[in-house]
Amino acid sequence: MFGKRTSFGGNTQSAPPPSRPVEEPRPTPQAEAPAPEARPAPAQQQAKPPREEVMDIHATESAARDKNYFQTKSSIFNALIDSIDLSQLAAMDQISAREEIRDIVAEIIALKNFVMSIAEQEDLLEDICNDVLGYGPLEPLLARDDIADIMVNGAHRCYIEVGGKVKLTNVRFRDDAHLMNVCQRIVSQVGRRVDESSPICDARLPDGSRVNVIAPPLSIDGPALTIRKFKKDKLTLNQLMKFGSISPEGAEVLRVLGRIRANVLISGGTGSGKTTLLNCLTAFIEKDERVITCEDSAELQLQQPHVVRLETRPPNLEGEGEITMRELVRNCLRMRPERIIVGEVRGSEAFDLLQAMNTGHDGSMGTLHANSPREALSRLESMITMGGFALPSRTIREMIVSSIDVIVQAARLRDGSRRITHISEVLGMEGDVIVTQDVFLYDILGEDAAGNLLGRHRSTGITKPNFTEKARYFNEEAALVDALERANVEHMDMMR
């Protein structure tokens, strides 16, 4: 099938001498232990070398192994590209293409007389398959469902977040050019590019995972790649309850809010789980509702059949062709939406979203960065003001009050856990101040021996919040009142 496969067969005379590319180098004399028969030395001479010196030796050995490995891999990779028909490879399914590449690489290793163990050869085969068909060294990390974030700081440092904690991995790229090739492959899938003339790029993976790339000269120590991974199985409110992110009674209140078409703003810091929570709330949208989503990078995974997904577009090389979030939100109003979902409110689109919520598009939702419900309202006001709207502060606040029903606050705590800390409703105005009322709160009670924070969700004692009227209209009042009363009884029992 691959007519060029034998093209490297005649080059065996000029092949490099046999080598063991991943063989560990001989320890340096300074690192060798003294011979047993050596005369005892003073205590000062018998002391172990400083930790920094040992680390430097290990780092040198690791760098030498990496250099040998990448040289061998580069030689085999170049021979593979010369011998394979990429157009025919692209027409094959993933499994068949991977098997074909493995066969050819094994043949190249035999012809070029590389000497390596079966385990070393297997690692090399897997790496080359990932380079040709996937995202290179990132493939093993992308395959793991327990990783929340992948952070690549240049070619030789890659961190991951697992269980809320950031850890350094042994994933390495050959050099910055190798890393840039992987970045380019990712962003090209969504019609974007990243290079010196356009060094910042937002993109997404096929599963919706968010990708950000910033390249030199803006990134001084090499390209920086950040991937916010999505789980293969979409999280639900039931799973959030199992994780302790929300209590059963709080989850029932959130379910009711999704069903009764309340206008919800989800607030939280970076990595607090705002998009995940928004996905959970959209699960309660009725199947027959027309939903339109607006995002910078399409991340939301709505399950309803009648969904229109819109995505912003950056400017081209000439600085033209940009489509902003505000333009998308304004265009939504001409598309007969029943709900508008904004992935993240960052600027003047806040004004148009509030207008939509206030003009018959009940049940619209969005997220923004803020550390508390009160701060979220202030940020909304600031975004509208910075958008160039010459409106008095009181007018903007009245618009916020008439548009937003509930603010749900998510937080990432210092032990890495994510919790819903507030469910707050917007009541109205007292003078020039917006009045809010907490329905559910999360209290931190302490921490265990492992450093994990201990806390509990509690009701504030309110049994009939302002959105009870909406719940009655959608026949959800009984479920709402029951959840709040159960939460109040549980809180009183704990107080005793």
Side-chain angles (χ1 to χ4, degrees), residues 441-454:
L441 292 173
Y442 180 76
D443 295 330
I444 298 175
L445 304 177
E447 64 179 85
D448 60 16
N452 299 314
L453 293 178
L454 304 175

Side-chain angles (χ1 to χ4, degrees), residues 88-152:
Q88 292 186 16
L89 187 71
M92 301 172 67
D93 63 86
Q94 189 84 355
I95 297 176
S96 300
R98 187 171 284 266
E99 287 302 319
E100 188 68 28
I101 290 173
R102 290 174 70 90
D103 291 343
I104 299 175
V105 170
E107 187 177 339
I108 294 172
I109 292 173
L111 284 170
K112 287 186 174 290
N113 295 324
F114 286 118
V115 180
M116 58 181 68
S117 68
I118 294 176
E120 293 167 353
Q121 182 172 329
E122 192 63 30
D123 290 343
L124 187 63
L125 286 169
E126 192 65 24
D127 280 356
I128 291 178
C129 285
N130 289 337
D131 277 343
V132 176
L133 300 174
Y135 302 124
L138 296 178
E139 280 293 321
L141 302 181
L142 293 171
R144 288 177 54 182
D145 206 34
D146 61 330
I147 295 177
D149 288 274
I150 300 173
M151 297 153 279
V152 183

Side-chain angles (χ1 to χ4, degrees), residues 329-345:
V329 175
R330 292 176 66 181
N331 189 74
C332 281
L333 303 177
R334 306 185 185 98
M335 298 174 65
R336 199 219 171 265
E338 290 182 284
R339 298 200 196 212
I340 297 175
I341 311 294
V342 178
E344 185 168 337
V345 182

Side-chain angles (χ1 to χ4, degrees), residues 145-307:
D145 206 34
D146 61 330
I147 295 177
D149 288 274
I150 300 173
M151 297 153 279
V152 183
N153 303 347
H156 305 299
R157 279 194 172 272
C158 178
Y159 294 86
I160 59 174
E161 182 191 316
V162 180
K165 300 294 185 180
V166 176
K167 303 175 182 177
L168 178 65
T169 70
N170 59 357
V171 170
R172 303 287 186 273
F173 292 81
R174 182 178 64 252
D175 49 31
D176 286 348
H178 184 201
L179 175 55
M180 279 300 294
N181 286 338
V182 173
C183 294
Q184 196 66 259
R185 185 178 303 173
I186 292 173
V187 303
S188 63
Q189 291 182 328
V190 290
R192 299 183 181 181
R193 61 182 184 80
V194 57
D195 50 35
E196 285 191 5
S197 59
S198 179
I200 298 179
C201 183
D202 287 315
R204 67 179 185 278
L205 295 178
D207 65 354
S209 297
R210 183 193 311 169
V211 178
N212 175 266
V213 181
I214 181 164
L218 300 188
S219 179
I220 298 172
D221 299 320
L225 169 66
T226 309
I227 301 176
R228 172 69 54 81
K229 277 182 82 264
F230 276 10
K231 287 184 175 293
K232 294 182 177 64
D233 299 323
K234 195 164 77 75
L235 286 176
T236 63
L237 270 181
N238 287 334
Q239 289 173 306
L240 294 185
M241 282 192 292
K242 291 178 183 177
F243 298 151
S245 297
I246 186 65
S247 65
E249 294 78 18
E252 181 64 19
V253 171
L254 292 179
R255 186 193 68 80
V256 170
L257 290 173
R259 292 289 304 277
I260 68 176
R261 302 186 65 168
N263 294 325
V264 178
L265 191 65
I266 298 175
S267 164
T270 300
S272 59
K274 299 186 298 297
T275 305
T276 299
L277 183 54
L278 183 57
N279 262 325
C280 292
L281 290 182
T282 58
F284 304 109
I285 297 175
E286 295 293 337
K287 303 292 185 186
D288 59 348
E289 293 186 48
R290 177 173 169 84
V291 183
I292 301 180
T293 68
C294 304
E295 302 173 81
D296 285 315
S297 295
E299 303 172 76
L300 294 174
Q301 301 168 315
L302 273 67
Q303 305 302 309
Q304 288 73 16
H306 199 166
V307 176

Side-chain angles (χ1 to χ4, degrees), residues 239-471:
Q239 289 173 306
L240 294 185
M241 282 192 292
K242 291 178 183 177
F243 298 151
S245 297
I246 186 65
S247 65
E249 294 78 18
E252 181 64 19
V253 171
L254 292 179
R255 186 193 68 80
V256 170
L257 290 173
R259 292 289 304 277
I260 68 176
R261 302 186 65 168
N263 294 325
V264 178
L265 191 65
I266 298 175
S267 164
T270 300
S272 59
K274 299 186 298 297
T275 305
T276 299
L277 183 54
L278 183 57
N279 262 325
C280 292
L281 290 182
T282 58
F284 304 109
I285 297 175
E286 295 293 337
K287 303 292 185 186
D288 59 348
E289 293 186 48
R290 177 173 169 84
V291 183
I292 301 180
T293 68
C294 304
E295 302 173 81
D296 285 315
S297 295
E299 303 172 76
L300 294 174
Q301 301 168 315
L302 273 67
Q303 305 302 309
Q304 288 73 16
H306 199 166
V307 176
V308 180
R309 304 169 73 205
L310 306 179
E311 189 176 56
T312 60
R313 186 176 72 185
N316 59 18
L317 273 176
E318 291 76 27
E320 300 174 349
E322 181 181 15
I323 304 297
T324 64
M325 181 67 76
R326 187 178 180 203
E327 291 174 285
L328 289 185
V329 175
R330 292 176 66 181
N331 189 74
C332 281
L333 303 177
R334 306 185 185 98
M335 298 174 65
R336 199 219 171 265
E338 290 182 284
R339 298 200 196 212
I340 297 175
I341 311 294
V342 178
E344 185 168 337
V345 182
R346 287 194 178 97
S348 57
E349 67 271 8
F351 178 82
D352 298 282
L353 178 61
L354 293 181
Q355 289 283 75
M357 290 176 168
N358 208 8
T359 54
H361 304 94
D362 291 339
S364 296
M365 304 178 189
T367 73
L368 59 74
H369 281 83
N371 294 323
S372 68
R374 174 63 58 184
E375 187 179 325
L377 296 174
S378 298
R379 284 215 65 212
L380 265 184
E381 184 178 345
S382 300
M383 285 186 234
I384 294 173
T385 304
M386 289 188 295
F389 300 97
L391 297 172
S393 294
R394 183 177 176 84
T395 302
I396 296 175
R397 291 171 187 170
E398 287 175 347
M399 184 188 305
I400 292 173
V401 166
S402 60
S403 302
I404 304 292
D405 293 318
V406 175
I407 300 172
V408 181
Q409 181 73 31
R412 182 171 177 267
L413 306 182
R414 60 182 171 86
D415 64 348
S417 61
R418 293 170 173 86
R419 299 286 184 265
I420 296 172
T421 59
H422 297 73
I423 299 177
S424 304
E425 61 173 342
V426 179
L427 296 180
M429 298 273 294
E430 282 189 5
D432 289 335
V433 179
I434 298 176
V435 179
T436 62
Q437 176 176 259
D438 296 328
V439 180
F440 269 89
L441 292 173
Y442 180 76
D443 295 330
I444 298 175
L445 304 177
E447 64 179 85
D448 60 16
N452 299 314
L453 293 178
L454 304 175
R456 63 182 177 89
H457 290 90
R458 65 175 177 86
S459 167
T460 56
I462 296 167
T463 55
K464 287 201 173 183
N466 267 18
F467 51 85
T468 305
E469 288 294 325
K470 274 193 174 183

